[in-house]
Amino acid sequence: MSSTAATDLIFGLTRVVGLPALTEQAGAPLGAEDIAQIVTEADRFCTEVLLPNAAAADRHGAIYANGVVTTPPSYPASYAQWVEGGWQSLAAPEAHGGQGLPASLWIAMTELGMAADTSFMLGPLLTAGAIDCLVHYATPDQADRWLPKMVTGEWTGAMCLTEPGAGSDLGVLKTRAEPLGNGKYALRGEKIFITWGEHDCTDNIVYLVLARLPDAPPGSRGISLFVATKLKEDGTRNDLRCGGIERKMGIHASPTCVMLFEGAEAELVGEPHRGLNAMFAMMNNARLGVGTQGVAHGAAALRLAESYAEMRVQGGRPIAQHPDVQRMLMEMRAITLAGRLLALETALCVDRHRLLGDEHAQTRLALLTPILKAWCTDRGVETASTGIQVHGGMGFVEDTGAAQMLRDARIAPIYEGTNGIQAIDLLVRKLAKDGGAEMRVLLDEVRRLPDPRLRTAADRLDTATTLVLDAQGRDAEAAQSVAVTYLEAAGWLLGGWMLARAAAEDGKAYGALAEFYLRRLLPRTAGRIAEIEGALAA
Amino acid sequence: MSSTAATDLIFGLTRVVGLPALTEQAGAPLGAEDIAQIVTEADRFCTEVLLPNAAAADRHGAIYANGVVTTPPSYPASYAQWVEGGWQSLAAPEAHGGQGLPASLWIAMTELGMAADTSFMLGPLLTAGAIDCLVHYATPDQADRWLPKMVTGEWTGAMCLTEPGAGSDLGVLKTRAEPLGNGKYALRGEKIFITWGEHDCTDNIVYLVLARLPDAPPGSRGISLFVATKLKEDGTRNDLRCGGIERKMGIHASPTCVMLFEGAEAELVGEPHRGLNAMFAMMNNARLGVGTQGVAHGAAALRLAESYAEMRVQGGRPIAQHPDVQRMLMEMRAITLAGRLLALETALCVDRHRLLGDEHAQTRLALLTPILKAWCTDRGVETASTGIQVHGGMGFVEDTGAAQMLRDARIAPIYEGTNGIQAIDLLVRKLAKDGGAEMRVLLDEVRRLPDPRLRTAADRLDTATTLVLDAQGRDAEAAQSVAVTYLEAAGWLLGGWMLARAAAEDGKAYGALAEFYLRRLLPRTAGRIAEIEGALAA
């Protein structure tokens, strides 16, 4: 028995975004049955291995003492099953020992894993990001030394970017790399907010670290990328350690580490002073993963709310039959499915580019990524909050798990670039770059669907695109003050587009949900645009 | 130096809602200076006594062991200062030892206290609710025995309504009251979610308990109201005890108790089988207090976000100067001020009714209460969440206090009747009761302001009122499925109305904030109405 999420993911991959056709075109056909089998297996792993321990893991949390981080008791064994199942290698390149499966399947796995236990799944997600970066920037020799163990999951990866004074503005970071004379470097500095920076699930950890070379120009053009490993090649400990973990609102079982580099031996990866470019390239895929987290939090909150609403009787009938609770559940379902399908649509751009060399897919990916990251993570927070509301007073009590969903979901709009940063990325680096051309290509696709409500909303967003681009040319600060609102308008439209496509494929299964969305949620596109017009009115 | 909140409250009371004129008319004049002095003193108490201990109180939490509840170490002393300062007696009737000051001043105190430390302030708020109920329903003899000590705050009050099987539907509650023959009763049953049900700040606690008499008809018409005290009149312990406290998402320092009544001696208050009426009468005022909590959570989140945004530098300037952070801060300010003034407007209805016997004020109060409760508490959650976002990664870390605001705020949309219940109350018991007449009187007042944007929005809500009332007559379930959306539309309109009135009084101080609201937030009224139209479309 697959979960609703797995069923939807299989349907989305095979019938909505068309993964089988793409893989056939690429000469490595993956049929509907193959896809169903992989997603079902992934679902089984998440439901049987991760989910049963997630609440206890949250209560236990990650624990720090004297540089050592202990994860919840279930984690080392669950992680061993993760490695044994070959899950980390799913979409990693075959050249490095991976299975080379499509990125969209990894996104399906990401949703299922994050919904089952966000704190756990963050480890594999960060490792996948590190793999992605090294595949592109490591020399063949470096790749051979690091990637095989990372691809199996025997070693995890960690991203060391943020410093106490350098968050969204990485240009001012201070960690220094001094040449040791043997081609290697010594890293000195303090990094904060390092997810899974230290843990007890693997012996070794590969750190991707942004730092400055002695001759580095100031600002963001003077940042280089290094790799340091927890264990050096001779098996001894490198000069780096965890200085503590944060006490956070949620994801309690995911250790968020202060990492102290105290002369750690490291290698330069990629060109000197070009580290930020390498990191941004990797970050785009990471943002796709974080957007998917938002979907997962909604899905997990929905699963809890549905089961509570069926069981809880008030006024002589289960609350699932009360009109306002029905409304909440329908909103949760419609938003979750919209985000799920939008994540697959975005992931398929990665596959179209990788497997077919389709350059337009790359442009589309660049446009969709900030929308997916910000819209889905904001919706994840909202949906988790609605899930609490369905539970009434029990939602505020930690026992039901509903509160954990909101606590865990709240980080996703912040990390991998805050949602405000995503909105400015959309406006400045995506829309303004091509004068809105790719957005208009996308809107034409939306308008091709027969529903007049979608066409009207797409027309409104088209006009709003002109409006914000004009503002950007005239008064960039004014334009940036509506960037988040514009991104939201686009997100609500694209969610409707995905649901309408699902309903067109299978009206019996998805028609009612799509209709609910088009009636009750799509108006938010016009609503947000009215706010933009109000803000930019003379 | 008063806080921004105190300055706004003084301005709101004296110049926007017109408390001085009302008190003069009532023959007990309270001038602008008196009001300023009281609010400034209240602000000082909250800022100097409560606020410095609030974060530590959250970390410590309330602790349960063997029937005894220990509050954070600072609480007993802070509570003693609360009593000594006479704050509990502020708006209590003079006949019972109170100061008889207006309810709107108590609401100002509630906002300041809740913003400083929600967990602490819940104790006094519940006591005030219990006083309110007993003033109306206790016999003179009962009132003399209980009220004087409650009015000083030497005894606290607790409301015992909810049971494991009876939440929003109190009609099915099971606690039983058996006559003891001496005019007293023995209570037996289990009550849950009892705020400040047990604590170490006072010796005695007065419990208002809903229970069934032996001859009670089934359902909500068979529920009576009883009072049991923790200490009986001879000073011995009554047969009731705390069976445990909940592990909650927030308000960790407020003990949320399971209360076990094991033959507790109690007195009937009011008529047999009419307990629910008494409780609902009291609850209306409690809802005004909970709506004010939503304002307080936004205000507290804003205070933290403003100070962080001024201090945190990214890209060479404080983030408070980044356009999207400015937008977030302006939203937080505009929404908080709108809610603050709406709470005062609503509280003034209580005063107009109490002091002048104005019956229309009672009708207006009934209409505004569910809107205030639901709209302000939903905004409190959103604003607290925006406050986290302003902090970036630091917002998710517990040290800054931003996360605590969201954790504490999340209960307010749930208790004292979920926001879904408020919306149905608005639709069924307020709008449908008079065919929307009082809402239209209110909309006429809104239309009297010169801003065309407000007039248009009021016209839209007028039409939407007809639409939902028609639906209610035709298909009550369909109408109830848009009740929350209707309430939100009304809330966004009334917030704009309050800000426009503030700007009309002092354009220099409040004009920019009102303009921001009317441009960027008022469109949400039309947006919500579009959702209603979509939902109810044939």
Side-chain angles (χ1 to χ4, degrees):
Chain A
M1 257 307 276
S2 295
S3 67
T4 310
T7 306
D8 287 351
L9 284 164
I10 294 164
F11 169 78
L13 286 165
T14 53
R15 302 204 26 211
V16 182
V17 304
L19 183 60
L22 167 69
T23 53
E24 190 164 333
Q25 207 183 334
L30 202 65
E33 282 187 18
D34 304 318
I35 292 169
Q37 197 195 335
I38 296 165
V39 174
T40 304
E41 277 303 313
D43 189 40
R44 197 196 313 271
F45 175 84
C46 297
T47 310
E48 293 178 4
V49 178
L50 301 184
L51 187 60
N53 296 307
D58 174 67
R59 272 198 300 279
H60 184 281
I63 292 169
Y64 172 87
N66 303 319
V68 175
V69 172
T70 310
T71 61
S74 63
Y75 275 26
S78 296
Y79 190 82
Q81 284 189 258
W82 169 262
V83 172
E84 198 172 324
W87 292 111
Q88 189 72 53
S89 71
L90 190 78
E94 287 167 291
H96 304 290
Q99 300 174 57
L101 285 163
S104 45
L105 276 173
W106 173 253
I107 285 299
M109 178 71 204
T110 300
E111 189 203 312
L112 296 167
M114 285 286 170
D117 186 347
T118 301
S119 287
F120 178 92
M121 195 62 192
L122 279 169
L125 201 71
L126 269 289
T127 302
I131 291 170
D132 206 40
C133 185
L134 294 176
V135 164
H136 288 95
Y137 292 94
T139 63
D141 169 60
Q142 289 174 329
D144 283 350
R145 283 182 288 129
W146 301 324
L147 279 172
K149 297 272 193 187
M150 294 173 77
V151 164
T152 58
E154 288 165 274
W155 296 354
T156 61
M159 300 295 181
C160 304
L161 286 67
T162 305
E163 298 181 5
S168 296
D169 178 15
L170 286 169
V172 297
L173 64 81
K174 289 182 178 154
T175 298
R176 310 205 66 84
E178 294 154 31
L180 290 170
N182 58 357
K184 298 200 172 173
Y185 298 83
L187 296 181
R188 283 177 210 283
E190 178 184 353
K191 296 285 181 178
I192 60 168
F193 294 159
I194 310 308
T195 301
W196 279 69
E198 178 60 76
H199 61 81
D200 54 357
C201 291
T202 62
D203 295 330
N204 204 2
I205 301 170
V206 177
Y207 299 95
L208 276 65
V209 187
L210 292 182
R212 289 183 187 287
L213 288 165
D215 60 343
S220 58
R221 282 151 203 232
I223 295 171
S224 306
L225 176 62
F226 298 85
V227 160
T229 50
K230 180 176 168 182
L231 300 179
K232 288 189 284 191
E233 283 178 12
D234 63 6
T236 61
R237 275 294 296 259
N238 206 341
D239 293 318
L240 56 89
R241 64 190 170 90
C242 176
I245 64 175
E246 307 290 345
R247 199 172 65 92
K248 307 186 300 291
M249 181 180 179
I251 51 169
H252 288 162
S254 167
T256 303
C257 302
V258 174
M259 292 303 304
L260 304 171
F261 293 88
E262 299 168 322
E265 188 184 290
E267 296 183 37
L268 179 70
V269 172
E271 308 268 311
H273 314 319
R274 302 295 302 271
L276 224 46
N277 292 35
M279 214 39 117
F280 277 133
M282 177 282 303
M283 227 189 248
N284 246 354
N285 282 349
R287 286 171 177 182
L288 175 46
V290 175
T292 304
Q293 273 180 60
V295 179
H297 294 132
L302 175 60
R303 181 180 61 212
L304 292 170
E306 280 181 327
S307 103
Y308 185 82
E310 285 301 337
M311 176 270 289
R312 174 76 173 171
V313 174
Q314 290 280 277
R317 53 181 180 167
I319 62 168
Q321 293 173 25
H322 294 208
D324 185 56
V325 175
Q326 277 180 329
R327 189 261 317 163
M328 289 194 275
L329 293 172
M330 283 297 278
E331 272 191 29
M332 295 174 78
R333 287 183 195 118
I335 289 170
T336 300
L337 184 60
R340 177 175 287 144
L341 295 175
L342 190 59
L344 296 180
E345 176 78 7
T346 309
L348 218 78
C349 294
V350 178
D351 291 327
R352 287 207 330 254
H353 181 251
R354 272 197 203 155
L355 303 177
L356 302 179
D358 177 345
E359 285 304 319
H360 176 240
Q362 189 77 334
T363 311
R364 175 62 57 87
L365 174 65
L367 180 70
L368 289 179
T369 298
I371 301 174
L372 182 81
K373 194 278 179 181
W375 189 75
C376 289
T377 56
D378 280 340
R379 299 294 81 70
V381 171
E382 272 177 21
T383 305
S385 189
T386 306
I388 290 180
Q389 196 67 18
V390 169
H391 285 76
M394 288 307 295
F396 195 66
V397 169
E398 289 286 358
D399 315 11
T400 54
Q404 188 192 338
M405 288 309 132
L406 177 55
R407 291 191 291 94
D408 284 359
R410 190 59 194 82
I411 185 59
I414 296 172
Y415 58 20
E416 292 298 342
T418 66
N419 286 359
I421 297 281
Q422 303 300 320
I424 290 166
D425 175 67
L426 175 64
L427 174 67
V428 177
R429 282 192 286 272
K430 309 298 160 68
L431 293 184
K433 198 179 162 195
D434 69 1
E438 179 58 24
M439 178 55 94
R440 294 208 165 87
V441 173
L442 175 58
L443 291 177
D444 282 340
E445 288 180 39
V446 175
R447 279 185 281 238
R448 232 168 277 146
L449 287 181
D451 195 287
R453 294 166 295 190
L454 272 172
R455 278 210 300 277
T456 306
D459 288 344
R460 290 276 271 144
L461 195 70
D462 203 334
T463 312
T465 305
T466 306
L467 194 66
V468 298
L469 282 172
D470 285 354
Q472 172 71 13
R474 209 173 51 236
D475 176 355
E477 302 249 320
Q480 289 183 22
S481 82
V482 297
V484 161
T485 315
Y486 177 86
L487 184 149
E488 292 233 311
W492 286 110
L493 175 67
L494 297 179
W497 176 52
M498 294 313 303
L499 282 192
R501 287 166 60 187
E505 282 298 318
D506 186 346
K508 198 154 161 258
Y510 298 101
L513 212 50
E515 185 61 19
F516 177 90
Y517 190 106
L518 295 174
R519 282 170 174 247
R520 297 198 58 150
L521 303 178
L522 185 63
R524 296 185 188 181
T525 296
R528 293 295 178 277
I529 292 171
E531 294 176 26
I532 295 170
E533 290 166 346
L536 298 179
Chain B
M1 258 310 275
S2 294
S3 67
T4 310
T7 306
D8 287 352
L9 285 164
I10 294 165
F11 169 79
L13 286 165
T14 54
R15 303 206 21 215
V16 182
V17 304
L19 182 60
L22 167 67
T23 53
E24 191 165 331
Q25 207 183 334
L30 202 62
E33 282 187 18
D34 305 318
I35 292 169
Q37 197 195 336
I38 296 165
V39 174
T40 304
E41 277 304 312
D43 189 39
R44 196 196 313 272
F45 175 84
C46 297
T47 311
E48 293 178 5
V49 178
L50 302 184
L51 186 61
N53 296 307
D58 174 67
R59 273 198 300 278
H60 185 281
I63 293 169
Y64 173 87
N66 303 318
V68 175
V69 171
T70 310
T71 60
S74 64
Y75 275 25
S78 296
Y79 189 82
Q81 285 189 258
W82 168 263
V83 172
E84 198 173 323
W87 292 111
Q88 189 72 52
S89 71
L90 190 79
E94 287 167 289
H96 303 291
Q99 301 174 58
L101 286 164
S104 45
L105 275 174
W106 173 254
I107 285 301
M109 178 72 204
T110 301
E111 189 203 312
L112 296 168
M114 285 288 170
D117 186 347
T118 301
S119 287
F120 179 91
M121 195 62 193
L122 279 168
L125 201 71
L126 269 288
T127 302
I131 291 171
D132 206 40
C133 186
L134 293 177
V135 164
H136 288 95
Y137 293 94
T139 64
D141 169 62
Q142 288 174 330
D144 284 348
R145 282 181 289 127
W146 301 324
L147 279 172
K149 297 273 194 187
M150 296 174 77
V151 165
T152 58
E154 287 164 275
W155 297 354
T156 62
M159 301 294 183
C160 304
L161 286 67
T162 306
E163 297 181 5
S168 295
D169 179 16
L170 287 169
V172 298
L173 64 81
K174 289 181 178 155
T175 298
R176 311 205 67 84
E178 294 155 30
L180 291 169
N182 58 358
K184 297 199 172 173
Y185 297 84
L187 297 180
R188 285 177 209 283
E190 178 184 353
K191 295 286 179 177
I192 60 168
F193 295 158
I194 310 308
T195 301
W196 279 71
E198 179 60 75
H199 61 81
D200 54 358
C201 292
T202 61
D203 295 329
N204 203 5
I205 301 171
V206 177
Y207 299 94
L208 275 66
V209 187
L210 292 183
R212 289 184 187 286
L213 289 163
D215 61 341
S220 56
R221 281 153 203 233
I223 294 171
S224 306
L225 176 63
F226 297 85
V227 161
T229 50
K230 180 175 167 182
L231 301 179
K232 289 189 283 192
E233 283 177 15
D234 62 7
T236 60
R237 275 294 296 258
N238 207 343
D239 293 318
L240 56 88
R241 63 186 170 93
C242 177
I245 62 175
E246 306 292 344
R247 201 172 63 95
K248 307 186 299 293
M249 181 179 178
I251 51 168
H252 287 161
S254 167
T256 302
C257 303
V258 174
M259 292 304 304
L260 305 171
F261 293 88
E262 300 169 323
E265 186 184 290
E267 295 183 37
L268 178 69
V269 172
E271 309 266 313
H273 315 320
R274 301 294 300 271
L276 224 46
N277 293 36
M279 213 42 116
F280 277 132
M282 177 282 302
M283 226 189 247
N284 246 351
N285 282 348
R287 286 172 177 181
L288 174 46
V290 175
T292 304
Q293 273 180 60
V295 179
H297 294 132
L302 174 60
R303 183 180 60 212
L304 292 170
E306 281 181 326
S307 105
Y308 185 82
E310 286 300 337
M311 177 271 286
R312 174 77 173 170
V313 174
Q314 289 279 278
R317 53 182 181 166
I319 62 168
Q321 293 173 25
H322 293 208
D324 186 56
V325 175
Q326 276 181 330
R327 189 262 316 163
M328 289 194 275
L329 293 173
M330 283 297 278
E331 271 191 30
M332 295 174 77
R333 286 183 197 119
I335 289 170
T336 300
L337 184 60
R340 177 174 288 144
L341 296 175
L342 190 58
L344 296 180
E345 177 78 8
T346 309
L348 218 77
C349 295
V350 178
D351 290 327
R352 284 199 341 246
H353 181 251
R354 271 196 204 155
L355 303 178
L356 303 180
D358 177 347
E359 284 305 319
H360 176 241
Q362 189 78 333
T363 311
R364 175 64 56 87
L365 175 66
L367 179 69
L368 289 179
T369 297
I371 301 174
L372 183 81
K373 195 278 179 181
W375 189 74
C376 289
T377 57
D378 280 340
R379 298 296 80 71
V381 171
E382 273 178 21
T383 305
S385 190
T386 306
I388 290 180
Q389 195 68 19
V390 169
H391 285 77
M394 289 306 296
F396 195 66
V397 170
E398 288 285 358
D399 314 10
T400 54
Q404 187 193 339
M405 289 309 131
L406 178 56
R407 290 192 291 94
D408 284 359
R410 190 59 193 83
I411 185 59
I414 296 171
Y415 58 19
E416 293 297 344
T418 65
N419 286 359
I421 296 281
Q422 302 301 320
I424 290 165
D425 175 66
L426 174 64
L427 174 67
V428 178
R429 281 193 287 272
K430 311 297 159 68
L431 294 183
K433 197 179 161 196
D434 68 1
E438 180 57 25
M439 178 55 93
R440 293 205 167 90
V441 173
L442 174 59
L443 292 177
D444 282 339
E445 287 179 40
V446 175
R447 280 186 279 238
R448 233 168 277 148
L449 287 180
D451 196 287
R453 294 166 295 191
L454 272 173
R455 279 209 301 278
T456 308
D459 288 344
R460 290 276 272 145
L461 194 70
D462 202 334
T463 313
T465 305
T466 306
L467 193 66
V468 298
L469 282 173
D470 285 355
Q472 172 71 13
R474 210 173 52 237
D475 176 355
E477 303 250 319
Q480 288 183 23
S481 83
V482 297
V484 161
T485 315
Y486 176 86
L487 185 149
E488 291 234 312
W492 286 110
L493 175 67
L494 297 179
W497 176 53
M498 294 313 303
L499 281 192
R501 286 167 60 188
E505 282 297 319
D506 186 348
K508 197 154 163 258
Y510 298 100
L513 212 51
E515 185 61 20
F516 178 89
Y517 190 107
L518 295 173
R519 282 169 175 249
R520 298 198 58 150
L521 303 178
L522 185 63
R524 295 185 187 181
T525 296
R528 292 296 177 277
I529 292 171
E531 294 175 27
I532 295 170
E533 289 166 347
L536 298 179

